[in-house]
Amino acid sequence: MATCPECDAEIEVDEFDVDKGDQLSCPECGSNLEVVAMSPLELDLAPDDDEDDLDDDDDDDDKDDVDEDDDEDDDEDEDEIEE
């Protein structure tokens, strides 16, 4: 038995079926959990991969801003050519 660190629910986990670093979900609250210790069996909240994705999205936004600026410069160059 182990306890969910998020909702304190008792989770039945067979110690022979899991290894340190394995991930599972709490059946009560749905939190992603990671096995952090084996004896006694201890669970902690698993790190979210979404946080890394958010950082990547921020980088993409910065690239878009640069691209938009480049587009504006191109428009100005076209105006000069037309004159």
Side-chain angles (χ1 to χ4, degrees), residues 46-60:
D48 286 338
D49 291 336
D50 293 343
E51 290 176 9
D52 292 338
D53 292 342
L54 291 176
D55 291 341
D56 291 343
D57 290 344
D58 290 344
D59 293 342
D60 292 344

Side-chain angles (χ1 to χ4, degrees), residues 58-68:
D58 290 344
D59 293 342
D60 292 344
D61 290 344
D62 293 342
K63 290 177 185 171
D64 290 343
D65 291 343
V66 170
D67 292 342
E68 288 172 9

